[in-house]
Amino acid sequence: MLQWTTLSLELGLLALALVLFVLDLTRVSRRLITLLAGLGTFALFLFSFTVPSTGTFTQAFILDPFALFLKRIFLLAALLTLMGASTYARVRNYTARMGEFILLVLLATLGAMALVSARDFLTFFVAFELLSLPIYALAAIEKGNPLAPEGALKVFLFGSLSSVALFLGIGLLYAATGTTFWTRIHTVLFPVLFQLGVVLLLVGIGFKIAMFPFYMWVPDTYEAAPTPVVAFLSVAPKAAGIGVLFRLYFEFFSRWQGDLTAWITVLAAVTMIAGNLMALPQKNLKRLLAYSGVAHIGYVLTAVAAGSRFSAAMALFYFVAYLFSNMGAFLAVAALETQGVEPTLEGSRNLIRRSPLLAAAFLVFLLSLGGIPFVLGFWGKLYVFLAAGKAGLWGLVFLGALLAVIALYYYLNVARWMFIVEEGEGSLHIPGSLLAAVGIAAVVVFAGGLVPQWLVVPAVHAVMGF
């Protein structure tokens, strides 16, 4: 019997996207469409708390507490993106394409939601492509930006490579096992094909989450794409990739845990090192946050290497902290751009006097990303390191802690330009919806740092099914 309630969130989001697309074709006001998109996304987020967290659909699609937790992250990411994009699009002169923008964001969110519920390689691949294809178009939606074609081309080329690697890996796994359902794999007929298929599968996911050495597209794409798009791109695909990696780990890879743990430990270490060191010399805020995002994926991979339910829960909690901290930082950069300010260190100078609220919120995000007590990001790093320590990965914990201290240099350097450097004149008037999105993110980061339990406990409950 088909359990259609398992697909209720996906069907609701698809219906919302199609209705808004039809309204856009009828020349309804773009502001009204944006408002309906935000309200509809928020309604689906609230509806997610009433959806039963157990169910399957043809055994290829599952809705469990783990997937449901991640779907709420994706919906919040989409909501913040839509809030930030409405004003940004008007300033950057692509309001006429706002209907397409909303449709693409919602379809990418739909792909991310389907990806974390997949239990079959074919479903996994289709969801992966549904997440990827809208992002390629979103990266190029700002046609007046001379950097847009290059950034969009890079994310398209690297995304295509990841799709090829995934498809080839899935083919090899099917040849080696005779099934596309990873929960049914009990016998490996051809070990060499199987091992090569697993490697290609990890390569494909590695491109999506931007881990070393598959992060080369990130800085150029982030610099070229519209900043609200970058805010979404920096969180949703990464959370989806890590989510499916955890599901594969517990339901499939755990039978070969020893070899996999060693590889992921090395990848986590190198990703943390590369991301932090490359962020140090950056002057462009979007490139700085791009490289710091690579480093944060290294921290999350530390939890993957630990390979326990506790580490999976702490990775979920980490992504909640990362959602609001990183998206808030990018939306703060978008706020600067709407005022004609270049997204550079020099552009942020004396921000405390030009826009005190924006400067205060940006500081909260930087402190959270740097892991300063007591904001939300501090608890994210602490709990991930605790999970790795429980698994005996003390070398990785020490390296991560050392690199977190190094990361403070480039985060606090931005704060120095905002609060200490006194050049720069003229007040900034940040538009309402964009300022609201930044404010919501800042409040969650600050309040969550004071009372992290209200986010940690749901994350722990989400992994009990593994």
Side-chain angles (χ1 to χ4, degrees), residues 254-425:
S254 57
R255 303 165 204 172
W256 301 273
Q257 183 173 353
D259 294 338
L260 190 64
T261 298
W263 278 106
I264 294 180
T265 300
V266 172
L267 288 173
V270 179
T271 301
M272 286 190 291
I273 293 171
N276 280 304
L277 293 183
M278 291 184 179
L280 284 173
Q282 300 302 319
K283 305 297 182 184
N284 184 287
L285 295 177
K286 293 170 74 172
R287 294 182 73 90
L288 185 151
L289 291 171
Y291 282 120
S292 80
V294 174
H296 283 283
I297 285 299
Y299 297 130
V300 180
L301 287 174
T302 300
V304 178
S308 64
R309 286 194 298 182
F310 177 71
S311 69
M314 293 308 100
L316 290 181
F317 172 68
Y318 193 100
F319 261 114
V320 174
Y322 188 67
L323 162 71
F324 290 102
S325 303
N326 205 61
M327 287 199 71
F330 273 114
L331 291 176
V333 174
L336 289 176
E337 290 181 303
T338 61
Q339 303 303 298
V341 177
E342 289 296 319
T344 61
L345 291 176
E346 291 79 4
S348 67
R349 65 188 183 276
N350 202 22
L351 187 60
I352 184 59
R353 291 179 178 82
R354 300 160 67 198
S355 179
L357 290 178
L358 183 62
F362 207 165
L363 178 63
V364 170
F365 301 139
L366 293 172
L367 294 179
S368 181
L369 291 171
I372 296 293
F374 287 92
V375 283
L376 196 55
F378 165 76
W379 299 108
K381 281 190 173 69
L382 180 65
Y383 287 140
V384 162
F385 291 156
L386 179 61
K390 283 187 174 183
L393 302 175
W394 289 108
L396 205 54
V397 171
F398 177 78
L399 177 63
L402 177 62
L403 291 170
V405 174
I406 294 174
L408 288 177
Y409 169 78
Y410 54 82
Y411 288 129
L412 295 181
N413 188 38
V414 179
R416 181 181 71 86
W417 279 90
M418 292 193 301
F419 288 85
I420 298 177
V421 177
E422 295 187 356
E423 297 111 6
E425 299 177 355

Side-chain angles (χ1 to χ4, degrees), residues 54-101:
T54 55
T56 59
F57 187 84
T58 66
Q59 299 182 7
F61 192 94
I62 184 172
L63 182 64
D64 57 6
F66 180 78
L68 195 56
F69 190 97
L70 282 165
K71 290 177 184 185
R72 290 169 186 154
I73 290 179
F74 304 144
L75 289 171
L76 286 175
L79 179 60
L80 289 175
T81 301
L82 294 174
M83 290 180 66
S86 58
T87 303
Y88 188 91
R90 186 165 62 253
V91 173
R92 307 284 283 197
N93 297 318
Y94 61 89
T95 305
R97 292 186 292 278
M98 197 60 195
E100 293 94 323
F101 180 93

Side-chain angles (χ1 to χ4, degrees), residues 212-268:
F212 183 89
F214 311 115
Y215 63 89
M216 293 79 73
W217 60 273
V218 170
D220 293 329
T221 299
Y222 280 25
E223 184 180 9
T227 306
V229 172
V230 176
F232 181 82
L233 182 58
S234 69
V235 172
K238 294 179 181 180
I242 292 293
V244 77
L245 192 58
F246 265 114
R247 185 175 295 284
L248 287 169
Y249 189 93
F250 285 107
E251 297 179 351
F252 178 39
F253 293 149
S254 57
R255 303 165 204 172
W256 301 273
Q257 183 173 353
D259 294 338
L260 190 64
T261 298
W263 278 106
I264 294 180
T265 300
V266 172
L267 288 173

Side-chain angles (χ1 to χ4, degrees), residues 71-132:
K71 290 177 184 185
R72 290 169 186 154
I73 290 179
F74 304 144
L75 289 171
L76 286 175
L79 179 60
L80 289 175
T81 301
L82 294 174
M83 290 180 66
S86 58
T87 303
Y88 188 91
R90 186 165 62 253
V91 173
R92 307 284 283 197
N93 297 318
Y94 61 89
T95 305
R97 292 186 292 278
M98 197 60 195
E100 293 94 323
F101 180 93
I102 293 170
L103 177 66
L104 292 169
V105 168
L106 294 182
L107 289 179
T109 305
L110 179 63
M113 293 168 65
L115 186 61
V116 296
S117 286
R119 300 187 83 184
D120 161 72
F121 284 123
L122 295 181
T123 306
F124 165 75
F125 183 77
V126 171
F128 187 91
E129 290 302 294
L130 181 56
L131 169 61
S132 301

